[in-house]
Amino acid sequence: MQENTQKRYRYTQNRELSWLRFDQRVLEEAADPSVPALERLKFISIFSSNLDEFFMVRVGSIFDLARMTPDDRDNKSGWTPEEQLHHIYEVIPGLLTMKKQIYSAVMEELGRSGIQDVEMEKLDASELKLVNHFFKTELLPVLSPILIGPNHPVPHLTNKRLYGAALLEDKKGHKALGIVPMPETAAPFLTLSDGKRYVRTENILLRWLPTMFDAYTVKESCVLAVTRNADISFDDDKFDDNEADFRNQMTKLLKLRDHLAVMRVELNTQISGEFRKLLSSVVRVETHEVFVDKCPLNMRYVFRLIGALPKELSMRLQYPAHHPRWAEDLRRDQPMISQIRQRDRLLFYPYDSVDPFLHLLNEAAENPKVLSIKITIYRMASSSKIAQALCRAAENGKEVLVVMELRARFDEENNLEWSKMLEESGCQVIYGTEGFKCHSKICLITMRSHNRTIYLTQVGTGNYNEKTNAMYTDLSFMTVDQTIGEDASAFFRNMLVNKLDGEYKRLLVSPYGIKPMLLRKIDEQITRGRDGYVCIKANSVTEREVMDKLAEASRAGVEVQLIIRGICCILPGVAGETENVHVTSVVGRFLEHARIYQFGRGADAEMYIASADLMTRNLNRRVEIACPIQDEELRDELRWILDAQLRDSAKASLVLPDGAYCRKHSAEPFDSQDYFLHTSMHKPTEAVAEPIRLAERLRGLLDKFRR
């Protein structure tokens, strides 16, 4: 039995440790000297934000499991929830040490350009005067010092808000604790007169802390932040069918997020045992849940700082500005609808501009032949041109159906606001399906021309969000294929009646369609043995049944190439199990987000794009869509993307059999993202003529006959 158990976990690793290894890869980008200095600072900020969300969501959910189902075991490692938490908390100190070293190196490099995070002790007299003025005019009027004692209840510490904390002593030697919340309205830093040096606001607060508790002496002080469990289990809550009630309930749940259990306490410096004991009694955390991080505790200010620097300086220390290209196989002077009716089209964000899709929506909003627009929305930009086009279409009398996912984590409030605006414009808005997040990316435009119904379908791998379209690599497929259009029409009908097991001819829809297709296609490659080939590009791999099937393919001699940005629970290269599995991870300027599935090689290969990663939640508990790509030119474009990423030797790492990453190297480094920036996958096209109507053709022939 023990032997079988050990064999079960031979080629898999724990999801959480795999994620932490991925975030370490993000941090390592900040150590790459070929990356501009301010971009390196951004990577440290992204690493920190990722880690914040990891504690809020993943650690929070495991913490809940440890209380509710303590004997459950992870199917990738065999660990209980408590054992998983132990391993997680054990890894974090090493990451923080690495972060501190890299942060110090980056700040040293920025210092050579005059950009400095200045310590209070190093300010001259005029700068101290400026800082003191800032404190008295901007901070002091809104500060609320809190003395914690018998007559003063313990304050609620908000998730990731910064606090000044002080160990206090009165004249009789009695100790107390003082807390001063950082005002949420306060700027995160004060720029000094040269426009390049700055002082962080929490350090200004610490300097003035001794003046805020008159009857006490400040013995020690620090900055602290707490990270709370933010894993609200929306799917477990039962909502009424009434949409307004659903929206109201969602608003109430969001307010709970700031009051869930604390998963982590961060301090900016080491403190005495006495001070730590007082803090722990207030926050109620275990010793191993308290971390000292000598970097800034909240690094979201980095992007604001870059915007405040002199433009000439900041531009020199960042990547050159990227301006997405208009896809060369599309004409700017021709209607998008006409061009898509000519043949299938594919956009590759952020290298291609999102403008052709926006043009398509705007055309559809105005075109009298368009009857309806139906779309799924998971995340939207705060100022969304896509939403504006949908509103205009509804105001022009088109039927507009929006399947809005209100449970898109951390975008719930933004989606709530847009859902109200869309409804006010006349759109019909529904909120996904009960118990299943709608994560699919599909838009259906229905037209009526010459007594024919024409479907124009767009299927994507990423959100309808112009902001992320500029930062994430994604694919957007547009077609007038009638069968795909009929499937899309059936999909929206099914969503309206909560029918998740609908039948489709071309589209694959989870939770019932994508995983069986994946298993079936891998099986087909297994029958080919050493001639078989599977290449999958996705964000994460966690689904046990899919991993077991990939291991089976490896044992049969099938070459399996996985391009996985983040979590990868299958371990490649394990003797006798996954020797033919290879895992590449690309972390660079843009966030790799596109999902491509390839089965077989060459002209016979089957190609799909999808919204779904190979994760249990995507394949079993979400509504996702995968779409076959049959146009030969577009299939070549997808293979071109995969081949370039597999060749990457500048920003790619290989996953080793123990789950660690090993950076790829070559004599002439090849950066796939830089290649995509400077090389287009599209062939320039000639002008696309509008479809010629039969009557016009007859008129032309008649004129010719008369001549």
Side-chain angles (χ1 to χ4, degrees), residues 223-252:
V223 179
L224 73 83
V226 302
T227 311
R228 292 183 177 275
N229 181 356
D231 186 41
I232 302 172
S233 298
F234 296 117
D235 295 343
D236 294 337
D237 292 279
K238 301 301 179 184
F239 302 114
D240 294 333
D241 291 335
N242 183 287
E243 291 174 349
D245 288 346
F246 183 35
R247 197 158 55 201
N248 289 338
Q249 182 67 18
M250 179 65 65
T251 302
K252 291 176 184 176

Side-chain angles (χ1 to χ4, degrees), residues 52 144 231 256-257 263 330 339 573 646 650 692 694 698 707:
D52 292 344
S144 302
D231 186 41
L256 292 177
R257 181 169 279 163
M263 301 288 100
L330 291 169
Q339 296 186 71
L646 290 173
I692 301 174
L694 179 60
L698 290 173
R707 289 197 296 269

Side-chain angles (χ1 to χ4, degrees), residues 516-526 599 606 608:
M517 177 274 288
L518 288 168
L519 299 176
R520 185 171 64 253
K521 295 301 176 185
I522 297 170
D523 270 333
E524 289 174 5
Q525 297 306 308
I526 289 173
F599 305 98
E606 295 184 65
Y608 297 80

Side-chain angles (χ1 to χ4, degrees), residues 324-325 347 349 352-359 386 465-466 469:
R325 65 178 71 94
L347 299 176
Y349 306 142
D352 295 336
S353 171
V354 70
D355 285 348
F357 178 66
L358 294 176
H359 281 224
I386 291 170
N465 184 324
E466 302 95 303
N469 291 153

Side-chain angles (χ1 to χ4, degrees), residues 16 115 197 199 216 231 240 273 362 385 420 446 467 491:
E16 318 313 332
I115 301 170
R197 297 158 67 245
V199 183
Y216 293 84
D231 186 41
D240 294 333
N362 286 319
K385 294 179 182 178
K420 295 173 191 173
T446 303
K467 184 177 179 180
F491 168 80

Side-chain angles (χ1 to χ4, degrees), residues 113 356 604:
S113 297
D604 294 332

Side-chain angles (χ1 to χ4, degrees), residues 437-453:
K437 281 187 180 181
C438 184
H439 191 250
S440 55
K441 329 293 183 189
I442 186 167
C443 177
L444 175 67
I445 297 169
T446 303
M447 305 173 61
R448 191 74 180 166
S449 179
H450 302 295
N451 295 320
R452 284 182 59 234
T453 298

